[in-house]
Amino acid sequence: MSEQQPNPYTSDPAGQGGQPGTPATPGQGDYKWGPGEASYGYPQPYPAPPAYQPTIGGAGIPSPAYHAAAPVGGAGLSLGDITVAGDQIITPSGNMPLRGAMWNATDFSRTEEKIPPHAIVLAIIFFLFCLLGLLFLLMKQKTTTGYIQVTVTSGGRHHSTMIPAVDAYTYQWVMGQLNYARSLSI
């Protein structure tokens, strides 16, 4: 099993990778184990990583020596990592044309209302001294958790971002920004 057999698929009748009677040179008809070059069904080789990957947007990229012109078509707008500047929508997945863009927002946030623990403690303490301690149970605390998902589709590309909901009015703020972006997209 350790003896290598000649390759039957070469045009060389001696199977040596060269002319009969001459020693085989490496790279001419030698049989190699494995798939060889990447092809359909085999994993493709990974591209070489860039020499420097900035962790902050724009870090490591030299600024142009000339003054850039002001964006054309409207003021700048930013929703999460989606930025509208001029007639372009700039996202981490690439630039998209602003004209004809479709904007959507989905509310994945929720607001809970509960009695805080200090109100329960105060209600128990003041109930023992006077019956007015039960008024502390009327104290309510609202907490909002979750995200608002904003998606944009334009020019055959699609990008989605999540904006954290900090209060109950975050969705209204996002919708105001989104309606402004829709008006720029017309």
Side-chain angles (χ1 to χ4, degrees):
M1 193 84 176
S2 65
E3 184 179 330
Q4 186 176 0
Q5 300 294 324
N7 188 351
Y9 300 109
T10 62
S11 61
D12 179 20
Q16 299 295 320
Q19 297 296 328
T22 61
T25 58
Q28 285 187 341
D30 291 11
Y31 180 74
K32 296 179 183 176
W33 290 96
E37 292 185 26
S39 62
Y40 181 75
Y42 292 104
Q44 302 295 320
Y46 289 110
Y52 174 71
Q53 288 183 330
T55 55
I56 300 173
I61 300 172
S63 61
Y66 59 89
H67 296 286
V72 179
L77 168 75
S78 179
L79 281 168
D81 58 1
I82 300 172
T83 304
V84 175
D87 61 347
Q88 292 286 313
I89 301 169
I90 303 166
T91 66
S93 59
N95 292 353
M96 302 179 213
L98 179 61
R99 187 171 209 66
M102 295 195 48
W103 298 85
N104 291 312
T106 307
D107 189 7
F108 291 113
S109 66
R110 69 171 192 226
T111 302
E112 297 175 346
E113 186 175 306
K114 64 178 185 174
I115 300 172
H118 65 273
I120 296 172
V121 171
L122 288 173
I124 292 172
I125 291 173
F126 282 100
F127 177 72
L128 298 175
F129 296 114
C130 62
L131 296 176
L132 294 177
L134 295 177
L135 291 177
F136 284 106
L137 294 178
L138 296 176
M139 292 175 59
K140 301 290 182 188
Q141 180 182 16
K142 290 184 179 182
T143 57
T144 302
T145 57
Y147 294 90
I148 289 109
Q149 180 184 28
V150 176
T151 59
V152 61
T153 305
S154 179
R157 291 181 178 240
H158 176 81
H159 184 72
S160 174
T161 187
M162 302 290 265
I163 299 172
V166 293
D167 60 8
Y169 302 106
T170 304
Y171 185 68
Q172 283 83 5
W173 175 80
V174 168
M175 286 305 295
Q177 297 291 316
L178 202 70
N179 287 332
Y180 178 64
R182 286 175 180 161
S183 70
L184 293 175
S185 297
I186 297 175

